[in-house]
Amino acid sequence: MRILAIESSCDESAAAVLDEARGLLAHELHSQIELHRAYGGVVPELASRDHVRKLLPLVRRALERAPTAPGELSGVAYTAGPGLIGALLTGAALARSLAYAWGRPAVAVHHLEGHLLAPLLEPNPPPFPHLALLVSGGHTQLIEVSAIGRYRILGDTRDDAAGEAFDKTAKLLGLPYPGGPELARLARAGVGGEFHFPRPMLDQPGLEFSFSGLKTAVLHALRGRDLTEQLKADVARAVEEAIVDTLAAKAMRALEVTGLDTLVVSGGVSANQRLRARLAEAVGRLGGRVYYPRIEFCTDNAAMIAVAGLARLKAGERSGLAIEARAQWPLESLAAVN
Ligand code: KG4
Ligand code: ZN
């Protein structure tokens, strides 16, 4: 089986071709970061309009590079949610129409299932069952993954997501959008000692997160201070430490509760090197193992949508003729695949 996949849930337009036997044949991506930078965040209407411009050329290029003729495809997968509704609609309409024109089935894919399954693209994929820490701009979740499609959410954020906490504090430090990678880069020059930000909910039982207090703490720390490069780096380091500490502590607690020893970390924040080092050390001490997608597949991409789409297509799943797009879509409502 071979599948074309399209992703357009937020600010990345992407297309990929995945073959069951030969693996990933092509993946093309256009990031809209430059388009939204002037506004300090994603502007939904601009995102939708740019997807309309970029998606079809990306699809064409992916098919050329694979190389694959439409007749060789077994189906077309697309991100149907959750995400920005206008952005989702552009990819869904294109994917559904191509599938219809080519006489092939379409498969509606859950964006977060894509993130969860992205490590399956690597040569040494994680075994099931495992625990997943999904950390992106919109989500911070600990999920027990028994099999493809069998997800149980053990912990979630009560307010800001981990990526959002990075982005919002980075904004306070005057860093460009998206702030996560910029803050991480700045943190490397930071010196520890002066700043210590709260590790919310660490002293409470359970697996919930809360990151909204962090930006207030940073705002207080910066008040009346001269924003030198060194001060910004010191604050960035302390922010990163607080977020990484919290994520690692709760992930370890979840491994303990479930008795699992395999951890999968995915979503944009899983690109963070400090988080990776901390988790490798902690899970290693347990005798377990941590798995990640390759760095370019940590953030949004179509390759991960192809993995989820192919698994569902192989299991006989077919979407109807409707163009499906859902701003909200509970992960736990998905059907199990095996
Ligand atoms: O998964 P993703 O591309 O989009 C969503 O579905 O949200 O995640 C984007 C998020 C942003 O908040 C970005 O700042 C964060 O991931 N991020 C990072 C790093 N790289 C991306 N946060 C911390 N350190 C990084 N190296
Ligand atoms: Zn994402």
Side-chain angles (χ1 to χ4, degrees), residues 206-254:
L207 299 168
E208 300 288 294
F209 299 93
S210 165
F211 288 108
S212 67
L214 201 54
K215 51 184 189 290
T216 321
V218 170
L219 206 58
H220 278 296
L222 296 178
R223 191 159 291 160
R225 300 287 297 259
D226 188 15
L227 270 193
T228 61
E229 278 310 302
Q230 190 57 52
L231 179 90
K232 290 201 300 194
D234 296 350
V235 169
R237 181 190 156 123
V239 166
E240 191 180 42
E241 279 292 321
I243 296 174
V244 166
D245 260 6
T246 310
L247 293 175
K250 290 279 159 102
M252 296 315 292
R253 199 180 282 177

mmCIF file of all heavy atoms in Angstrom, residues 206-254:
data_model
loop_
_atom_site.group_PDB
_atom_site.id
_atom_site.type_symbol
_atom_site.label_atom_id
_atom_site.label_comp_id
_atom_site.label_asym_id
_atom_site.label_seq_id
_atom_site.Cartn_x
_atom_site.Cartn_y
_atom_site.Cartn_z
ATOM 1 N N GLY A 206 -1.028 13.235 41.418
ATOM 2 C CA GLY A 206 -1.725 13.297 40.136
ATOM 3 C C GLY A 206 -0.801 13.667 39.008
ATOM 4 O O GLY A 206 0.387 13.942 39.200
ATOM 5 N N LEU A 207 -1.350 13.711 37.785
ATOM 6 C CA LEU A 207 -0.542 13.877 36.586
ATOM 7 C C LEU A 207 -0.972 15.094 35.767
ATOM 8 O O LEU A 207 -0.727 15.170 34.567
ATOM 9 C CB LEU A 207 -0.633 12.599 35.738
ATOM 10 C CG LEU A 207 -0.104 11.335 36.444
ATOM 11 C CD1 LEU A 207 -0.482 10.077 35.674
ATOM 12 C CD2 LEU A 207 1.409 11.414 36.623
ATOM 13 N N GLU A 208 -1.623 16.039 36.456
ATOM 14 C CA GLU A 208 -2.056 17.255 35.754
ATOM 15 C C GLU A 208 -0.918 18.271 35.694
ATOM 16 O O GLU A 208 -0.021 18.269 36.535
ATOM 17 C CB GLU A 208 -3.239 17.886 36.505
ATOM 18 C CG GLU A 208 -4.458 16.990 36.617
ATOM 19 C CD GLU A 208 -5.181 16.840 35.299
ATOM 20 O OE1 GLU A 208 -5.722 17.842 34.828
ATOM 21 O OE2 GLU A 208 -5.183 15.726 34.737
ATOM 22 N N PHE A 209 -0.991 19.149 34.698
ATOM 23 C CA PHE A 209 -0.007 20.225 34.556
ATOM 24 C C PHE A 209 -0.701 21.579 34.644
ATOM 25 O O PHE A 209 -1.898 21.690 34.378
ATOM 26 C CB PHE A 209 0.679 20.161 33.189
ATOM 27 C CG PHE A 209 1.426 18.900 32.927
ATOM 28 C CD1 PHE A 209 0.811 17.830 32.276
ATOM 29 C CD2 PHE A 209 2.745 18.771 33.305
ATOM 30 C CE1 PHE A 209 1.504 16.662 32.009
ATOM 31 C CE2 PHE A 209 3.454 17.607 33.045
ATOM 32 C CZ PHE A 209 2.838 16.552 32.396
ATOM 33 N N SER A 210 0.063 22.603 35.006
ATOM 34 C CA SER A 210 -0.431 23.979 34.938
ATOM 35 C C SER A 210 0.772 24.870 34.677
ATOM 36 O O SER A 210 1.725 24.877 35.449
ATOM 37 C CB SER A 210 -1.101 24.372 36.255
ATOM 38 O OG SER A 210 -1.252 25.778 36.295
ATOM 39 N N PHE A 211 0.740 25.604 33.579
ATOM 40 C CA PHE A 211 1.898 26.435 33.230
ATOM 41 C C PHE A 211 1.591 27.935 33.188
ATOM 42 O O PHE A 211 2.475 28.731 32.913
ATOM 43 C CB PHE A 211 2.471 26.002 31.865
ATOM 44 C CG PHE A 211 3.186 24.688 31.902
ATOM 45 C CD1 PHE A 211 2.632 23.563 31.323
ATOM 46 C CD2 PHE A 211 4.423 24.572 32.531
ATOM 47 C CE1 PHE A 211 3.300 22.341 31.353
ATOM 48 C CE2 PHE A 211 5.096 23.361 32.575
ATOM 49 C CZ PHE A 211 4.531 22.240 31.986
ATOM 50 N N SER A 212 0.336 28.301 33.471
ATOM 51 C CA SER A 212 -0.020 29.716 33.272
ATOM 52 C C SER A 212 0.654 30.639 34.293
ATOM 53 O O SER A 212 0.820 31.829 34.034
ATOM 54 C CB SER A 212 -1.540 29.891 33.298
ATOM 55 O OG SER A 212 -2.020 29.609 34.590
ATOM 56 N N GLY A 213 1.042 30.091 35.461
ATOM 57 C CA GLY A 213 1.673 30.926 36.487
ATOM 58 C C GLY A 213 3.086 31.358 36.113
ATOM 59 O O GLY A 213 3.611 32.340 36.647
ATOM 60 N N LEU A 214 3.677 30.647 35.169
ATOM 61 C CA LEU A 214 5.075 30.891 34.826
ATOM 62 C C LEU A 214 5.288 32.284 34.219
ATOM 63 O O LEU A 214 6.238 32.988 34.563
ATOM 64 C CB LEU A 214 5.532 29.806 33.847
ATOM 65 C CG LEU A 214 7.024 29.558 33.732
ATOM 66 C CD1 LEU A 214 7.655 29.268 35.077
ATOM 67 C CD2 LEU A 214 7.282 28.388 32.790
ATOM 68 N N LYS A 215 4.373 32.687 33.347
ATOM 69 C CA LYS A 215 4.562 33.996 32.695
ATOM 70 C C LYS A 215 4.441 35.138 33.706
ATOM 71 O O LYS A 215 5.152 36.131 33.610
ATOM 72 C CB LYS A 215 3.630 34.175 31.486
ATOM 73 C CG LYS A 215 2.180 33.902 31.722
ATOM 74 C CD LYS A 215 1.402 34.037 30.414
ATOM 75 C CE LYS A 215 -0.099 33.996 30.643
ATOM 76 N NZ LYS A 215 -0.587 32.669 31.053
ATOM 77 N N THR A 216 3.549 34.968 34.698
ATOM 78 C CA THR A 216 3.407 35.988 35.752
ATOM 79 C C THR A 216 4.698 36.051 36.567
ATOM 80 O O THR A 216 5.186 37.143 36.878
ATOM 81 C CB THR A 216 2.241 35.614 36.692
ATOM 82 O OG1 THR A 216 1.187 35.084 35.901
ATOM 83 C CG2 THR A 216 1.763 36.806 37.478
ATOM 84 N N ALA A 217 5.256 34.886 36.887
ATOM 85 C CA ALA A 217 6.496 34.839 37.672
ATOM 86 C C ALA A 217 7.631 35.520 36.908
ATOM 87 O O ALA A 217 8.425 36.273 37.489
ATOM 88 C CB ALA A 217 6.855 33.393 37.989
ATOM 89 N N VAL A 218 7.677 35.292 35.597
ATOM 90 C CA VAL A 218 8.725 35.909 34.777
ATOM 91 C C VAL A 218 8.524 37.422 34.708
ATOM 92 O O VAL A 218 9.469 38.206 34.834
ATOM 93 C CB VAL A 218 8.751 35.295 33.349
ATOM 94 C CG1 VAL A 218 9.658 36.081 32.430
ATOM 95 C CG2 VAL A 218 9.194 33.836 33.423
ATOM 96 N N LEU A 219 7.277 37.823 34.558
ATOM 97 C CA LEU A 219 6.948 39.258 34.516
ATOM 98 C C LEU A 219 7.416 39.956 35.790
ATOM 99 O O LEU A 219 8.026 41.024 35.741
ATOM 100 C CB LEU A 219 5.428 39.396 34.354
ATOM 101 C CG LEU A 219 4.904 40.669 33.700
ATOM 102 C CD1 LEU A 219 5.492 40.835 32.309
ATOM 103 C CD2 LEU A 219 3.373 40.611 33.602
ATOM 104 N N HIS A 220 7.182 39.333 36.942
ATOM 105 C CA HIS A 220 7.618 39.875 38.235
ATOM 106 C C HIS A 220 9.138 39.962 38.301
ATOM 107 O O HIS A 220 9.693 40.957 38.759
ATOM 108 C CB HIS A 220 7.113 38.999 39.391
ATOM 109 C CG HIS A 220 5.691 39.327 39.762
ATOM 110 N ND1 HIS A 220 5.332 40.563 40.260
ATOM 111 C CD2 HIS A 220 4.566 38.593 39.707
ATOM 112 C CE1 HIS A 220 4.022 40.569 40.485
ATOM 113 N NE2 HIS A 220 3.529 39.386 40.143
ATOM 114 N N ALA A 221 9.799 38.908 37.822
ATOM 115 C CA ALA A 221 11.266 38.854 37.896
ATOM 116 C C ALA A 221 11.905 39.947 37.041
ATOM 117 O O ALA A 221 12.961 40.471 37.368
ATOM 118 C CB ALA A 221 11.755 37.480 37.452
ATOM 119 N N LEU A 222 11.224 40.310 35.946
ATOM 120 C CA LEU A 222 11.803 41.293 35.014
ATOM 121 C C LEU A 222 11.487 42.735 35.413
ATOM 122 O O LEU A 222 12.122 43.662 34.922
ATOM 123 C CB LEU A 222 11.284 41.049 33.586
ATOM 124 C CG LEU A 222 11.666 39.727 32.916
ATOM 125 C CD1 LEU A 222 11.024 39.627 31.547
ATOM 126 C CD2 LEU A 222 13.190 39.601 32.797
ATOM 127 N N ARG A 223 10.514 42.894 36.289
ATOM 128 C CA ARG A 223 10.039 44.239 36.650
ATOM 129 C C ARG A 223 11.177 45.110 37.206
ATOM 130 O O ARG A 223 11.906 44.695 38.098
ATOM 131 C CB ARG A 223 8.905 44.122 37.675
ATOM 132 C CG ARG A 223 8.200 45.444 37.899
ATOM 133 C CD ARG A 223 6.827 45.248 38.474
ATOM 134 N NE ARG A 223 5.918 44.635 37.505
ATOM 135 C CZ ARG A 223 4.791 44.008 37.846
ATOM 136 N NH1 ARG A 223 4.455 43.904 39.108
ATOM 137 N NH2 ARG A 223 4.011 43.495 36.929
ATOM 138 N N GLY A 224 11.323 46.287 36.637
ATOM 139 C CA GLY A 224 12.318 47.242 37.119
ATOM 140 C C GLY A 224 13.757 46.856 36.789
ATOM 141 O O GLY A 224 14.691 47.521 37.236
ATOM 142 N N ARG A 225 13.947 45.800 36.008
ATOM 143 C CA ARG A 225 15.313 45.363 35.711
ATOM 144 C C ARG A 225 15.754 45.856 34.336
ATOM 145 O O ARG A 225 14.938 46.037 33.436
ATOM 146 C CB ARG A 225 15.406 43.827 35.736
ATOM 147 C CG ARG A 225 15.048 43.205 37.068
ATOM 148 C CD ARG A 225 16.129 43.427 38.100
ATOM 149 N NE ARG A 225 17.387 42.799 37.741
ATOM 150 C CZ ARG A 225 17.834 41.635 38.240
ATOM 151 N NH1 ARG A 225 17.098 40.989 39.118
ATOM 152 N NH2 ARG A 225 19.002 41.154 37.882
ATOM 153 N N ASP A 226 17.033 46.051 34.189
ATOM 154 C CA ASP A 226 17.618 46.419 32.925
ATOM 155 C C ASP A 226 17.763 45.134 32.098
ATOM 156 O O ASP A 226 18.454 44.205 32.515
ATOM 157 C CB ASP A 226 18.996 47.051 33.195
ATOM 158 C CG ASP A 226 19.591 47.636 31.940
ATOM 159 O OD1 ASP A 226 18.834 47.808 30.961
ATOM 160 O OD2 ASP A 226 20.803 47.906 31.935
ATOM 161 N N LEU A 227 17.064 45.062 30.957
ATOM 162 C CA LEU A 227 17.028 43.821 30.178
ATOM 163 C C LEU A 227 18.316 43.587 29.378
ATOM 164 O O LEU A 227 18.334 43.701 28.159
ATOM 165 C CB LEU A 227 15.841 43.825 29.219
ATOM 166 C CG LEU A 227 14.518 43.245 29.727
ATOM 167 C CD1 LEU A 227 13.556 43.047 28.567
ATOM 168 C CD2 LEU A 227 14.724 41.917 30.451
ATOM 169 N N THR A 228 19.398 43.269 30.072
ATOM 170 C CA THR A 228 20.656 42.980 29.370
ATOM 171 C C THR A 228 20.574 41.581 28.762
ATOM 172 O O THR A 228 19.726 40.774 29.158
ATOM 173 C CB THR A 228 21.850 43.002 30.347
ATOM 174 O OG1 THR A 228 21.629 41.980 31.333
ATOM 175 C CG2 THR A 228 21.970 44.352 31.040
ATOM 176 N N GLU A 229 21.460 41.299 27.812
ATOM 177 C CA GLU A 229 21.478 39.970 27.180
ATOM 178 C C GLU A 229 21.715 38.889 28.224
ATOM 179 O O GLU A 229 21.121 37.820 28.177
ATOM 180 C CB GLU A 229 22.566 39.910 26.101
ATOM 181 C CG GLU A 229 22.144 40.510 24.769
ATOM 182 C CD GLU A 229 20.800 39.988 24.247
ATOM 183 O OE1 GLU A 229 20.668 38.765 24.070
ATOM 184 O OE2 GLU A 229 19.873 40.803 24.041
ATOM 185 N N GLN A 230 22.600 39.170 29.207
ATOM 186 C CA GLN A 230 22.908 38.171 30.228
ATOM 187 C C GLN A 230 21.694 37.901 31.118
ATOM 188 O O GLN A 230 21.386 36.751 31.422
ATOM 189 C CB GLN A 230 24.115 38.626 31.087
ATOM 190 C CG GLN A 230 24.634 37.529 32.015
ATOM 191 C CD GLN A 230 25.039 36.260 31.244
ATOM 192 O OE1 GLN A 230 25.813 36.323 30.289
ATOM 193 N NE2 GLN A 230 24.505 35.096 31.621
ATOM 194 N N LEU A 231 20.990 38.981 31.478
ATOM 195 C CA LEU A 231 19.799 38.803 32.323
ATOM 196 C C LEU A 231 18.760 37.962 31.582
ATOM 197 O O LEU A 231 18.165 37.030 32.136
ATOM 198 C CB LEU A 231 19.198 40.160 32.693
ATOM 199 C CG LEU A 231 17.933 40.035 33.545
ATOM 200 C CD1 LEU A 231 18.257 40.005 35.025
ATOM 201 C CD2 LEU A 231 16.946 41.134 33.244
ATOM 202 N N LYS A 232 18.568 38.274 30.294
ATOM 203 C CA LYS A 232 17.586 37.516 29.499
ATOM 204 C C LYS A 232 17.979 36.042 29.419
ATOM 205 O O LYS A 232 17.140 35.149 29.533
ATOM 206 C CB LYS A 232 17.470 38.119 28.082
ATOM 207 C CG LYS A 232 16.790 39.483 28.103
ATOM 208 C CD LYS A 232 16.201 39.907 26.782
ATOM 209 C CE LYS A 232 17.154 40.012 25.646
ATOM 210 N NZ LYS A 232 16.626 40.717 24.482
ATOM 211 N N ALA A 233 19.277 35.795 29.246
ATOM 212 C CA ALA A 233 19.755 34.409 29.148
ATOM 213 C C ALA A 233 19.559 33.682 30.484
ATOM 214 O O ALA A 233 19.162 32.518 30.508
ATOM 215 C CB ALA A 233 21.225 34.395 28.743
ATOM 216 N N ASP A 234 19.810 34.381 31.590
ATOM 217 C CA ASP A 234 19.642 33.765 32.918
ATOM 218 C C ASP A 234 18.178 33.407 33.161
ATOM 219 O O ASP A 234 17.860 32.337 33.676
ATOM 220 C CB ASP A 234 20.134 34.706 34.030
ATOM 221 C CG ASP A 234 21.631 34.967 33.939
ATOM 222 O OD1 ASP A 234 22.316 34.286 33.145
ATOM 223 O OD2 ASP A 234 22.118 35.869 34.658
ATOM 224 N N VAL A 235 17.282 34.318 32.772
ATOM 225 C CA VAL A 235 15.844 34.062 32.941
ATOM 226 C C VAL A 235 15.414 32.910 32.026
ATOM 227 O O VAL A 235 14.680 32.003 32.442
ATOM 228 C CB VAL A 235 15.013 35.344 32.653
ATOM 229 C CG1 VAL A 235 13.531 35.036 32.557
ATOM 230 C CG2 VAL A 235 15.270 36.397 33.732
ATOM 231 N N ALA A 236 15.897 32.939 30.780
ATOM 232 C CA ALA A 236 15.544 31.875 29.825
ATOM 233 C C ALA A 236 15.959 30.516 30.377
ATOM 234 O O ALA A 236 15.212 29.540 30.318
ATOM 235 C CB ALA A 236 16.228 32.129 28.479
ATOM 236 N N ARG A 237 17.155 30.464 30.949
ATOM 237 C CA ARG A 237 17.647 29.204 31.516
ATOM 238 C C ARG A 237 16.728 28.720 32.643
ATOM 239 O O ARG A 237 16.390 27.537 32.730
ATOM 240 C CB ARG A 237 19.071 29.420 32.031
ATOM 241 C CG ARG A 237 19.676 28.166 32.606
ATOM 242 C CD ARG A 237 20.982 28.481 33.312
ATOM 243 N NE ARG A 237 21.244 27.438 34.293
ATOM 244 C CZ ARG A 237 22.348 26.697 34.313
ATOM 245 N NH1 ARG A 237 23.274 26.901 33.429
ATOM 246 N NH2 ARG A 237 22.504 25.766 35.238
ATOM 247 N N ALA A 238 16.325 29.665 33.529
ATOM 248 C CA ALA A 238 15.478 29.289 34.664
ATOM 249 C C ALA A 238 14.081 28.858 34.200
ATOM 250 O O ALA A 238 13.473 27.961 34.782
ATOM 251 C CB ALA A 238 15.387 30.461 35.644
ATOM 252 N N VAL A 239 13.570 29.490 33.133
ATOM 253 C CA VAL A 239 12.258 29.113 32.581
ATOM 254 C C VAL A 239 12.334 27.700 32.011
ATOM 255 O O VAL A 239 11.496 26.842 32.303
ATOM 256 C CB VAL A 239 11.832 30.102 31.463
ATOM 257 C CG1 VAL A 239 10.673 29.545 30.653
ATOM 258 C CG2 VAL A 239 11.453 31.454 32.060
ATOM 259 N N GLU A 240 13.365 27.456 31.220
ATOM 260 C CA GLU A 240 13.524 26.141 30.607
ATOM 261 C C GLU A 240 13.660 25.065 31.692
ATOM 262 O O GLU A 240 13.051 23.997 31.614
ATOM 263 C CB GLU A 240 14.752 26.140 29.694
ATOM 264 C CG GLU A 240 14.840 24.897 28.828
ATOM 265 C CD GLU A 240 16.058 24.904 27.912
ATOM 266 O OE1 GLU A 240 17.151 25.288 28.361
ATOM 267 O OE2 GLU A 240 15.909 24.525 26.738
ATOM 268 N N GLU A 241 14.439 25.379 32.728
ATOM 269 C CA GLU A 241 14.614 24.439 33.847
ATOM 270 C C GLU A 241 13.279 24.108 34.501
ATOM 271 O O GLU A 241 12.997 22.954 34.810
ATOM 272 C CB GLU A 241 15.540 25.055 34.910
ATOM 273 C CG GLU A 241 17.011 24.946 34.597
ATOM 274 C CD GLU A 241 17.490 23.501 34.650
ATOM 275 O OE1 GLU A 241 17.032 22.737 35.544
ATOM 276 O OE2 GLU A 241 18.287 23.139 33.792
ATOM 277 N N ALA A 242 12.461 25.149 34.721
ATOM 278 C CA ALA A 242 11.174 24.949 35.408
ATOM 279 C C ALA A 242 10.250 24.068 34.555
ATOM 280 O O ALA A 242 9.607 23.149 35.076
ATOM 281 C CB ALA A 242 10.517 26.297 35.694
ATOM 282 N N ILE A 243 10.200 24.321 33.250
ATOM 283 C CA ILE A 243 9.317 23.541 32.377
ATOM 284 C C ILE A 243 9.831 22.100 32.254
ATOM 285 O O ILE A 243 9.070 21.139 32.389
ATOM 286 C CB ILE A 243 9.183 24.201 30.981
ATOM 287 C CG1 ILE A 243 8.512 25.577 31.105
ATOM 288 C CG2 ILE A 243 8.378 23.309 30.035
ATOM 289 C CD1 ILE A 243 8.464 26.392 29.818
ATOM 290 N N VAL A 244 11.125 21.961 32.033
ATOM 291 C CA VAL A 244 11.723 20.623 31.860
ATOM 292 C C VAL A 244 11.566 19.796 33.138
ATOM 293 O O VAL A 244 11.193 18.625 33.100
ATOM 294 C CB VAL A 244 13.207 20.748 31.439
ATOM 295 C CG1 VAL A 244 13.946 19.430 31.590
ATOM 296 C CG2 VAL A 244 13.298 21.247 29.997
ATOM 297 N N ASP A 245 11.845 20.421 34.293
ATOM 298 C CA ASP A 245 11.699 19.733 35.587
ATOM 299 C C ASP A 245 10.293 19.189 35.760
ATOM 300 O O ASP A 245 10.093 18.046 36.158
ATOM 301 C CB ASP A 245 11.918 20.739 36.730
ATOM 302 C CG ASP A 245 13.317 20.625 37.287
ATOM 303 O OD1 ASP A 245 14.113 19.875 36.713
ATOM 304 O OD2 ASP A 245 13.600 21.300 38.302
ATOM 305 N N THR A 246 9.308 20.053 35.472
ATOM 306 C CA THR A 246 7.908 19.680 35.661
ATOM 307 C C THR A 246 7.518 18.536 34.726
ATOM 308 O O THR A 246 6.907 17.560 35.150
ATOM 309 C CB THR A 246 6.993 20.898 35.385
ATOM 310 O OG1 THR A 246 7.503 22.009 36.136
ATOM 311 C CG2 THR A 246 5.571 20.634 35.791
ATOM 312 N N LEU A 247 7.877 18.670 33.450
ATOM 313 C CA LEU A 247 7.524 17.624 32.478
ATOM 314 C C LEU A 247 8.181 16.294 32.850
ATOM 315 O O LEU A 247 7.533 15.241 32.827
ATOM 316 C CB LEU A 247 7.958 18.032 31.061
ATOM 317 C CG LEU A 247 7.217 19.221 30.434
ATOM 318 C CD1 LEU A 247 7.846 19.582 29.090
ATOM 319 C CD2 LEU A 247 5.731 18.900 30.241
ATOM 320 N N ALA A 248 9.455 16.342 33.229
ATOM 321 C CA ALA A 248 10.186 15.112 33.545
ATOM 322 C C ALA A 248 9.617 14.454 34.801
ATOM 323 O O ALA A 248 9.406 13.242 34.831
ATOM 324 C CB ALA A 248 11.670 15.419 33.718
ATOM 325 N N ALA A 249 9.343 15.256 35.822
ATOM 326 C CA ALA A 249 8.843 14.686 37.081
ATOM 327 C C ALA A 249 7.501 13.994 36.867
ATOM 328 O O ALA A 249 7.270 12.887 37.347
ATOM 329 C CB ALA A 249 8.716 15.787 38.133
ATOM 330 N N LYS A 250 6.611 14.644 36.097
ATOM 331 C CA LYS A 250 5.276 14.053 35.882
ATOM 332 C C LYS A 250 5.362 12.825 34.966
ATOM 333 O O LYS A 250 4.622 11.866 35.149
ATOM 334 C CB LYS A 250 4.319 15.087 35.282
ATOM 335 C CG LYS A 250 3.928 16.198 36.264
ATOM 336 C CD LYS A 250 2.829 15.770 37.220
ATOM 337 C CE LYS A 250 2.764 16.609 38.469
ATOM 338 N NZ LYS A 250 1.714 17.600 38.510
ATOM 339 N N ALA A 251 6.253 12.862 33.994
ATOM 340 C CA ALA A 251 6.417 11.699 33.106
ATOM 341 C C ALA A 251 6.933 10.510 33.913
ATOM 342 O O ALA A 251 6.462 9.379 33.744
ATOM 343 C CB ALA A 251 7.381 12.036 31.965
ATOM 344 N N MET A 252 7.879 10.758 34.823
ATOM 345 C CA MET A 252 8.415 9.664 35.651
ATOM 346 C C MET A 252 7.331 9.117 36.573
ATOM 347 O O MET A 252 7.223 7.919 36.783
ATOM 348 C CB MET A 252 9.618 10.155 36.470
ATOM 349 C CG MET A 252 10.816 10.584 35.647
ATOM 350 S SD MET A 252 11.238 9.440 34.307
ATOM 351 C CE MET A 252 11.802 8.036 35.250
ATOM 352 N N ARG A 253 6.520 10.026 37.101
ATOM 353 C CA ARG A 253 5.419 9.601 37.975
ATOM 354 C C ARG A 253 4.443 8.714 37.194
ATOM 355 O O ARG A 253 3.955 7.708 37.702
ATOM 356 C CB ARG A 253 4.699 10.844 38.512
ATOM 357 C CG ARG A 253 3.863 10.573 39.736
ATOM 358 C CD ARG A 253 3.189 11.844 40.208
ATOM 359 N NE ARG A 253 4.080 12.735 40.944
ATOM 360 C CZ ARG A 253 3.709 13.940 41.394
ATOM 361 N NH1 ARG A 253 2.483 14.382 41.178
ATOM 362 N NH2 ARG A 253 4.545 14.695 42.062
ATOM 363 N N ALA A 254 4.173 9.081 35.937
ATOM 364 C CA ALA A 254 3.236 8.310 35.107
ATOM 365 C C ALA A 254 3.808 6.929 34.775
ATOM 366 O O ALA A 254 3.067 5.945 34.719
ATOM 367 C CB ALA A 254 2.920 9.078 33.818
#
